[in-house]
């Protein structure tokens, strides 16, 4: 068998070890201030959308499953009165974090935070150590993200049907958990190797509950790998980059993609840039069209569905997976659904994606008049009287700054967390590095049984 690492010709030699060494060495006191502040915004945003999901359809099904089949313990399921063992808490919280597709673009916070907080609550880790773990796991994922960065151009494993949540998520979660558990480089490397072979997720999952489940599975799998590594479990130390490893399995890969992997890890922090936080609870690829429709409705005034002949825009390959959604959940991955809702109501909120809304006759009729125009840079609404209304499609806007993120958090948890807890969570996150444990944060996210 040829054991020659593909790294010998691509510059990825030692990538697994590089990630493990970065994870072990990361320390809050050596991080730029904006990395820490952006990490806290990402944490607050992720917790808010997770709590919201706990009260939605996916949360109800997930919590029933957890009560009937998962193992009891002391780790909090965010936005519920349920406590589980760390591995199962990571599974449920990771799934909730991505349950409404309202988490940050790229989804790197979901499995990383779920694994870090479950491990931290399970072993009594400090807030500082848990924050370090979150940052380490998130940066580890982002250093591998070039594998999926060119999906929309038809390049890389993402264009062939693999999804980064389940491919990179276990590795990121393993790094986060290893940091919380204070594993050395050798054991962290073992956890990375174990997690690298624990992967799997399909683009076809979009618009189903399978997609957020892949995130929960990634969080739980990564945490499991770290626990096993702590006990001396071993794995291949070049599982990412060697022959028959991850890069081979998801290849072939362009040389420039391979050369980008690991570049700047530990020096050019991705959290040093603004986190891309969503304004809408739907697939990122729908947002540019939705924003164009909202601008059009605001500028031109309300349009009656009965007046519309057709709607045209580039709906991108991913939202075309669910062109005619039958369930509200599927609508998150349907540009046609999102555009129709935005036109009908002048907004697009998380609660818009229900089965009842999906069955609305007016919406169903409008869905049939939305057309895909590949490469178009405009949204076109043609009325039956021959009038054409056009709005340019632009890069979608992200939420920026603590006030915007706090407003989103409050909107998410307003009907779920009591006021005292709703106020406490942002304050605790702001000072998490000073907290001797994550217990106060978890207590603020836990519902009392009588609630």
């Amino acid at each position: 068998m040829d054991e020659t690492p593909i790294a010998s010709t691509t510059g990825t030699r030692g990538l697994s070890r590089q990630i493990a060494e970065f994870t072990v060495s990361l320390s809050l006191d050596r991080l730029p201030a904006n990395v820490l502040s952006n990490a806290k915004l990402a944490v607050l945003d992720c917790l808010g959308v997770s709590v919201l999901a706990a009260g939605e359809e996916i949360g109800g099904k997930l919590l029933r499953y957890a009560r009937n089949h998962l193992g009891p313990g002391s780790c909090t399921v965010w936005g519920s009165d349920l406590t589980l063992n760390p591995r199962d808490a990571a599974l449920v919280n990771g799934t909730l974090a991505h349950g409404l597709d309202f988490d940050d673009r790229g989804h790197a916070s979901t499995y990383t935070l779920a694994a870090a907080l479950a491990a931290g609550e399970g072993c009594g880790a400090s807030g500082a150590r848990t924050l370090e773990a979150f940052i380490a796991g998130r940066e580890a994922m982002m250093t591998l993200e070039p594998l999926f960065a060119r999906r929309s151009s038809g390049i890389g494993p993402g264009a062939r049907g693999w999804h980064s949540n389940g491919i990179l998520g276990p590795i990121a979660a393993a790094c986060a958990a290893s940091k919380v558990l204070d594993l050395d480089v050798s054991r962290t490397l073992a956890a990375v190797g174990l997690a690298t072979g624990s992967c799997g997720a399909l683009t076809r999952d979009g618009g189903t509950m399978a997609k957020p489940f892949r995130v929960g599975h990634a969080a739980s799998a990564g945490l499991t790998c770290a626990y096993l590594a702590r006990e001396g479990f071993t794995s291949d130390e070049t599982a990412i980059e060697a022959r028959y490893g991850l890069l081979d399995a998801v290849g072939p890969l362009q040389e420039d993609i391979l050369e980008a992997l690991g570049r700047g890890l530990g020096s050019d922090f991705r959290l040093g840039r603004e986190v891309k936080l969503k304004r809408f609870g739907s697939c990122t690829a729908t947002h540019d069209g939705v924003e164009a429709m909202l601008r059009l409705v605001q500028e031109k005034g309300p349009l009656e569905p009965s007046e519309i002949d057709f709607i045209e825009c580039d709906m991108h390959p991913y939202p075309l997976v669910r062109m005619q959604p039958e369930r509200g959940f599927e609508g998150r991955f349907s540009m046609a659904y999102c555009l129709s809702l935005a036109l009908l109501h002048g907004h697009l909120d998380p609660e818009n994606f229900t089965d009842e809304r999906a069955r609305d006759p007016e919406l169903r009729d409008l869905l049939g008049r939305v057309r895909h125009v590949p490469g178009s840079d405009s949204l076109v609404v043609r009325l039956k009287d021959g009038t054409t209304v056009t709005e340019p499609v632009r890069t979608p806007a992200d939420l920026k700054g603590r006030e915007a993120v706090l407003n989103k958090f409050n909107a998410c948890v307003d009907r779920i967390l009591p006021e005292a807890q709703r106020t406490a969570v942002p304050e605790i996150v702001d000072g998490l590095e000073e907290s001797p444990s994550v217990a106060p944060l978890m207590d603020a996210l836990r519902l009392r049984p009588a609630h």
Side-chain angles (χ1 to χ4, degrees):
M1 179 182 294
D2 181 6
E3 299 290 347
T4 304
I6 60 172
S8 62
T9 58
T10 64
T12 57
R13 184 184 296 277
L15 182 58
S16 299
R17 180 170 289 276
Q18 180 188 3
I19 290 171
E21 290 177 346
F22 161 77
T23 298
V24 173
S25 65
L26 186 137
S27 175
L28 289 186
D29 58 14
R30 295 199 294 269
L31 291 177
N34 64 337
V35 171
L36 185 58
S37 60
N38 285 336
K40 291 176 180 178
L41 290 181
V43 168
L44 184 62
D45 182 77
C46 189
L47 292 175
V49 300
S50 303
V51 170
L52 178 61
E56 297 291 323
E57 179 189 6
I58 188 170
K61 295 179 186 299
L62 191 60
L63 294 179
R64 285 197 299 275
Y65 164 73
R67 294 182 195 281
N68 292 329
H69 302 289
L70 298 184
S74 59
C75 290
T76 305
V77 173
W78 311 331
S80 82
D81 62 356
L82 190 62
T83 56
L84 300 169
N85 64 65
R87 290 175 58 235
D88 287 343
L91 170 68
V92 176
N93 288 330
T95 305
L96 290 174
H98 193 45
L100 305 180
D101 222 274
F102 206 10
D103 51 287
D104 58 57
R105 306 187 197 280
H107 318 307
S109 297
T110 52
Y111 33 74
T112 310
L113 186 62
L117 283 177
E121 190 174 14
C123 72
S126 69
R129 174 51 60 95
T130 307
L131 260 180
E132 287 175 343
F134 173 69
I135 295 168
R138 204 178 186 284
E139 293 292 322
M141 182 273 175
M142 295 306 294
T143 207
L144 298 173
E145 192 266 343
L147 288 171
F148 292 87
R150 295 164 65 185
R151 179 184 68 179
S152 61
S153 300
I155 297 172
R160 292 190 290 273
W162 297 112
H163 197 280
S164 64
N165 284 348
I167 305 298
L168 305 182
I171 299 172
C175 290
S178 296
K179 186 67 177 180
V180 171
L181 300 177
D182 199 23
L183 303 189
D184 61 16
V185 171
S186 176
R187 282 178 163 75
T188 300
L189 186 55
V192 168
L194 289 168
T196 300
S198 304
C199 62
L202 303 174
T203 296
R204 191 69 200 179
D205 290 337
T208 74
M209 294 182 184
K211 186 169 187 275
F213 169 71
R214 308 301 178 205
V215 169
H217 179 265
S220 183
L223 181 53
T224 301
C225 293
Y227 282 147
L228 288 170
R230 183 175 63 175
E231 302 303 325
F233 229 74
T234 63
S235 69
D236 189 280
E237 295 186 352
T238 56
I240 296 176
E241 68 272 17
R243 181 67 171 153
Y244 305 116
L246 177 65
L247 301 184
D248 252 12
V250 300
L253 299 166
Q254 281 74 9
E255 194 70 18
D256 62 325
I257 292 177
L258 291 167
E259 289 174 353
L261 302 177
R263 185 185 297 164
L265 182 62
S267 57
D268 180 17
F269 287 90
R270 295 294 291 268
L271 277 168
R273 308 161 204 173
E274 288 183 325
V275 182
K276 296 181 177 181
L277 302 176
K278 287 185 173 184
R279 296 175 57 216
F280 309 111
S282 61
C283 172
T284 291
T286 67
H287 290 198
D288 56 0
V290 167
E291 289 190 0
M293 181 63 81
L294 293 177
R295 290 194 303 271
L296 186 149
V297 171
Q298 184 176 18
E299 293 168 7
K300 310 298 182 184
L303 298 171
E304 291 296 326
S306 60
E307 299 174 350
I308 294 171
D309 188 13
F310 59 79
I311 300 168
E312 291 182 338
C313 76
D314 184 347
M315 293 193 278
H316 313 301
Y318 202 16
L320 284 172
V321 172
R322 309 290 167 191
M323 187 65 179
Q324 293 287 327
E326 299 295 330
R327 301 285 312 277
F329 201 90
E330 296 174 355
R332 300 182 190 280
F333 290 80
S334 170
M335 179 76 92
Y337 185 97
C338 292
L339 289 177
S340 298
L341 276 180
L343 185 146
L344 287 170
H345 303 289
H347 56 81
L348 188 68
D349 301 322
E351 56 266 30
N352 291 149
F353 299 92
T354 63
D355 289 354
E356 181 181 7
R357 186 62 57 85
R359 290 191 293 266
D360 175 47
E362 199 169 48
L363 175 67
R364 301 303 309 173
D365 180 58
L366 199 53
L367 281 174
R369 285 179 271 157
V370 182
R371 303 175 182 175
H372 174 44
V373 182
S376 174
D377 59 3
S378 297
L379 170 73
V380 176
V381 178
R382 173 71 176 266
L383 304 183
K384 291 179 179 178
D385 66 3
T387 303
T388 299
V389 185
T390 302
E391 180 68 24
V393 175
R394 306 167 186 158
T395 301
D398 299 314
L399 294 179
K400 297 182 184 296
R402 185 179 184 278
E403 183 177 359
V405 177
L406 182 60
N407 288 338
K408 177 182 173 181
F409 172 84
N410 286 330
C412 286
V413 306
D414 181 54
R415 289 176 289 180
I416 300 174
L417 294 182
E419 183 178 358
Q421 292 173 239
R422 186 170 68 245
T423 302
V425 172
E427 293 176 352
I428 296 170
V429 170
D430 281 346
L432 191 56
E433 72 274 28
E434 305 297 333
S435 179
S437 78
V438 296
L441 178 59
M442 296 298 94
D443 188 60
L445 291 165
R446 184 183 303 140
L447 295 185
R448 307 302 177 255
H451 184 72

